[in-house]
Amino acid sequence: MTSSTQQTVTGETVRLTVAQAVVRFLANQWSERDGERQKLFAGCFGIFGHGNVAGIGQALLQNELADGEEHLPYVLARNEQAMVHTSVAYARQKDRLQTWACTASVGPGSTNMLTGAALATINRIPVLLLPSGTFATRVSSPVLQELEAPYAADVTVNDAFRPLSRFFDRVSRPEQLPSALISAMRVLTDPVETGAVTIALPQDVQAEAHDWPVELFAPRTWRVARPLPEVVDIADAAAVIRSARRPLVVAGGGVHYSGAEEALRALCEQTGIPVGESQAGKGSLPHGHPQEMGAIGSTGTTAANALAAEADVVIGVGTRWSDFTTASRTAFQGNGVRFVNINIARFDAGKHSGLSVVSDAREALTALASALEGYAVDDAYRSRQYSLWSEWDSAVEAAYHPAAEVTDRLAEGLLTQGQVLGAVNELTDPRDVVLCAAGSMPGDLHKLWRVRDRKAYHVEYGYSCMGYEVPASLGIRLADESRDVFAMVGDGGYLMMPTELVTAVQERIKVIVVLVQNHGFHSIGSLSESLGSQRFGTSYRFRGEASGRLDGDVLPVDLAANARSLGAHVIEVHSLGELHQAIKKAKAAPADGGPIVIHVETDPLVHAPDSASWWDVPVSAVSELDSTQTAFGEYLDHKATQRPFVTPTTPAAPTTSESAS
């Protein structure tokens, strides 16, 4: 239907379908922070089916062909979960100031987005989901792909988005759309509330016409706030820190989203307080900074974890205190250890009974530096930081460049995972982005990677979602074409979702995928072994004829051929020298040349340096297996070191008899 503008007694209106109204509205949304204004939506990813092709699909086509309108570019994806991952990666690279919308058809097309929704919400990353729904009128029920619930006629599969979304609405009538859209924008641009936002659109409603007030489509700017800390909270936090002899900062993702890196650096240089980093916070200080102790927790460095065990005050900045960051609450063992939590979300600021400073991270750190003027740790503590870091840095060198006794025992053509990470780290530019998600590589990257730029490290570990890597690489590259993106993915993760290589070919997006083939689940294989389960079910092997178990020969799977069949340029390497040449060749490839896949085989039994830490994964309490019985005994030993952290943190120093847990 052709849109038309008309005068009514209530003001000027324009007649559009609901879908056309959605697209026109989204194209006119902006975000602003610190005076910098940008489009809130870079575009819309989608896959069309009978539930959205005549609705959102038609609206996007009309928008693309229209003159004199703000456009919402459309990109055809190959998997609905993947397009949400791409949107999340884009938004994270843009410090949550820009994102994409995602449209999918009814039924499985929409429910495929559920994993992406959970990932976005857990990581507090904004993305707008537009799942299509079956007929609101129900005149043809049950229609193709409709879920019939005998206990409630209004339930659809899209209700599954409710617990995964920070905001959910279903538009069953056109009149409901304006309030749904405005509420969605409010949540997407709120750094406290943000996550997946879902507006479910029944397929018949998408195509329904309505007279809309033209003001609905006026440009809107949503200011992303920087809440200031309460003066009394900064004073209390400063008092707690001044009483500390062994303070430690734990930097989380909030440091990056706030752009607080320079404020953190200034505070640490002023006070000498060392910094350990969560996965999301890695890169808060650059590699080589005197106070940079690297990763903390279950996949941390021995330097950061040693300081964590001794800390008397821990200052969390923008962290949600996940179990990997706290080593399942075993990392902080100091008697009477206290917490100061700087977080924009009160929900996170109150964890570990910490003294809460609810504020934008940059503003709080700046205020705290002023309040701590004249305070600094002593020289002995600075020397300990230097000593611990030097020891760890030597271990990283040994992982990047293993000794002959390690490499000599490798099968011909195999490398260690440490060698692969080291080669990529050393041969890439400081601004290039390393990307990873689930498996063993995120832990190794967290420990080993030397970050040289605030946006050069991108590991998804809130949801630890296999398959995130390839689609996310597109999002990062779309967000900043001046950076090469190196997606590190194991064979397990690659097999989950290689399909967006086709989208990268289609859009001529240069991403570099380092595909590490180790014929199984490296991370879970190691975990299984440590828990007494003997790597059961974690290798890609034939079922043995004699044993009937999955212990036969390695499967003849050719992932390089698979990537080549999807249109990617593939480089197969069989030595460290060939890997170096492949990285250089990929770097030199044209910016619009599409995806490049570097295929390399590694030995899954050569591990990165140990973090001297723990992760709480329950072990079978009763077993006939000796390996499981041994693992259970070790599990009980670790459980005994867990801390509840229930004593409130107050400005007054505790007495020697008091304990924080």
Side-chain angles (χ1 to χ4, degrees):
M1 179 179 293
T2 303
S3 65
S4 62
T5 302
Q6 58 186 349
Q7 287 292 129
T8 71
V9 293
T10 58
E12 192 175 16
T13 63
V14 58
R15 190 163 182 80
L16 301 168
T17 67
V18 168
Q20 291 162 3
V22 169
V23 170
R24 185 174 293 191
F25 178 90
L26 297 181
N28 282 284
Q29 304 307 298
W30 299 73
S31 70
E32 179 188 310
R33 188 175 70 176
D34 299 337
E36 295 186 11
R37 186 169 176 262
Q38 52 271 312
K39 278 288 191 75
L40 179 56
F41 294 98
C44 181
F45 290 108
I47 298 176
F48 298 137
H50 71 274
N52 64 343
V53 66
I56 293 291
Q58 189 279 338
L60 287 164
L61 168 64
Q62 183 167 300
N63 175 260
E64 185 174 290
L65 298 176
D67 294 325
E69 289 186 15
E70 292 287 348
H71 285 182
L72 188 70
Y74 171 71
V75 173
L76 168 62
R78 268 63 191 181
N79 179 284
E80 292 89 355
Q81 180 189 143
M83 66 190 184
V84 183
H85 293 336
T86 302
S87 304
V88 166
Y90 183 97
R92 176 172 166 178
Q93 197 69 14
K94 289 288 189 178
D95 289 332
R96 306 192 297 193
L97 299 174
Q98 286 183 282
T99 188
W100 287 67
C102 298
T103 177
S105 189
V106 296
S110 287
T111 55
N112 278 350
M113 296 195 294
L114 289 169
T115 296
L119 182 145
T121 295
I122 286 172
N123 286 286
R124 288 80 182 286
I125 304 293
V127 60
L128 177 63
L129 308 180
L130 302 173
S132 300
T134 49
F135 284 71
T137 60
R138 306 180 196 165
V139 295
S140 301
S141 294
V143 299
L144 180 66
Q145 299 177 323
E146 178 175 355
L147 171 71
E148 292 185 275
Y151 58 88
D154 63 342
V155 170
T156 80
V157 294
N158 289 340
D159 286 290
F161 285 96
R162 290 180 183 272
L164 306 179
S165 303
R166 295 298 290 169
F167 175 80
F168 176 93
D169 200 357
R170 177 182 290 113
V171 177
S172 299
R173 290 186 55 82
E175 294 89 345
Q176 298 169 343
L177 183 65
S179 64
L181 288 171
I182 291 171
S183 294
M185 300 309 108
R186 171 186 59 80
V187 175
L188 287 168
T189 56
D190 185 335
V192 177
E193 294 295 324
T194 198
V197 167
T198 302
I199 300 178
L201 299 169
Q203 63 188 99
D204 53 342
V205 175
Q206 288 184 41
E208 187 174 344
H210 185 72
D211 294 323
W212 309 92
V214 294
E215 293 82 4
L216 178 63
F217 309 111
R220 297 171 190 263
T221 300
W222 301 84
R223 184 165 291 117
V224 179
R226 286 192 181 277
L228 299 176
E230 294 286 343
V231 174
V232 65
D233 291 339
I234 290 294
D236 285 351
V240 171
I241 296 168
R242 283 182 179 276
S243 70
R245 296 182 60 248
R246 300 178 303 280
L248 173 68
V249 166
V250 175
V255 174
H256 291 310
Y257 300 140
S258 173
E261 295 89 355
E262 288 305 314
L264 177 63
R265 180 197 286 242
L267 174 69
C268 293
E269 290 176 354
Q270 171 187 324
T271 62
I273 300 175
V275 175
E277 299 162 324
S278 72
Q279 278 282 16
K282 190 170 172 67
S284 294
L285 289 182
H287 172 74
H289 190 280
Q291 274 70 57
E292 164 65 0
M293 297 294 108
I296 195 167
S298 298
T299 53
T301 71
T302 53
N305 284 339
L307 294 176
E310 303 165 359
D312 51 6
V313 170
V314 181
I315 308 152
V317 185
T319 176
R320 64 190 185 96
W321 292 120
S322 78
D323 64 339
F324 260 71
T325 302
T326 68
S328 300
R329 298 200 179 201
T330 64
F332 308 107
Q333 290 292 323
N335 185 37
V337 62
R338 294 172 291 162
F339 292 85
V340 173
N341 296 327
I342 297 171
N343 206 294
I344 201 166
R346 190 172 297 276
F347 174 78
D348 292 314
K351 292 177 178 177
H352 291 177
S353 301
L355 191 155
S356 300
V357 180
V358 180
S359 168
D360 173 81
R362 189 189 74 180
E363 299 302 316
L365 289 170
T366 301
L368 193 58
S370 179
L372 287 172
E373 186 175 355
Y375 167 82
V377 302
D378 60 28
D379 290 342
Y381 193 47
R382 291 177 188 266
S383 295
R384 179 148 176 74
Q385 295 172 40
Y386 176 79
S387 175
L388 289 169
W389 179 253
S390 296
E391 182 179 343
W392 175 257
D393 207 33
S394 296
V396 174
E397 277 296 310
Y400 279 5
H401 307 285
E405 57 263 28
V406 175
T407 56
D408 286 351
R409 76 173 182 82
L410 298 176
E412 185 177 355
L414 293 186
L415 301 177
T416 70
Q417 189 158 280
Q419 284 178 297
V420 174
L421 299 185
V424 177
N425 200 178
E426 294 171 351
L427 294 174
T428 51
D429 295 335
R431 296 184 71 257
D432 290 345
V433 182
V434 66
L435 161 68
C436 198
S440 62
M441 275 191 289
D444 288 358
L445 286 165
H446 195 207
K447 290 186 283 189
L448 304 178
W449 195 262
R450 293 161 169 169
V451 182
R452 298 159 288 173
D453 180 87
R454 66 177 292 268
K455 300 301 290 184
Y457 184 88
H458 186 118
V459 171
E460 190 286 303
Y461 222 57
Y463 207 39
S464 186
C465 185
M466 295 179 71
Y468 176 82
E469 300 89 345
V470 173
S473 68
L474 276 64
I476 297 171
R477 179 70 178 186
L478 287 169
D480 189 347
E481 293 184 357
S482 70
R483 299 172 185 262
D484 277 330
V485 182
F486 283 79
M488 312 295 297
V489 59
D491 49 336
Y494 176 85
L495 285 167
M496 291 282 182
M497 200 166 294
T499 52
E500 296 317 294
L501 285 174
V502 181
T503 305
V505 171
Q506 164 191 291
E507 300 294 331
R508 297 182 174 88
I509 300 172
K510 179 188 177 183
V511 293
I512 302 164
V513 178
V514 180
L515 173 51
V516 178
Q517 169 69 278
N518 52 43
H519 303 285
F521 298 129
H522 185 177
S523 173
I524 297 303
S526 298
L527 180 64
S528 171
E529 188 171 45
S530 71
L531 302 179
S533 296
Q534 304 175 12
R535 294 181 175 261
F536 173 72
T538 62
S539 296
Y540 295 159
R541 293 181 177 274
F542 281 109
R543 190 170 297 281
E545 293 182 6
S547 68
R549 305 180 64 207
L550 296 177
D551 58 1
D553 292 336
V554 170
L555 300 179
V557 176
D558 191 342
L559 297 185
N562 174 265
R564 194 175 290 113
S565 75
L566 297 178
H569 176 67
V570 177
I571 308 172
E572 297 184 64
V573 304
H574 305 92
S575 68
L576 187 60
E578 289 182 5
L579 176 60
H580 287 184
Q581 291 303 312
I583 295 168
K584 293 175 183 177
K585 184 176 180 180
K587 284 285 297 170
D592 60 353
I596 302 162
V597 174
I598 300 173
H599 182 279
V600 56
E601 295 205 40
T602 63
D603 186 335
L605 300 181
V606 179
H607 304 290
D610 187 62
S611 64
S613 192
W614 182 64
W615 183 37
D616 190 348
V617 179
V619 179
S620 296
V622 177
S623 175
E624 297 176 359
L625 303 178
D626 291 341
S627 59
T628 306
Q629 293 172 14
T630 299
F632 183 67
E634 295 172 352
Y635 178 74
L636 293 179
D637 291 341
H638 284 294
K639 288 290 287 185
T641 68
Q642 280 185 311
R643 308 286 296 278
F645 302 128
V646 295
T647 302
T649 296
T650 60
T655 66
T656 55
S657 62
E658 290 176 337
S659 172
S661 59

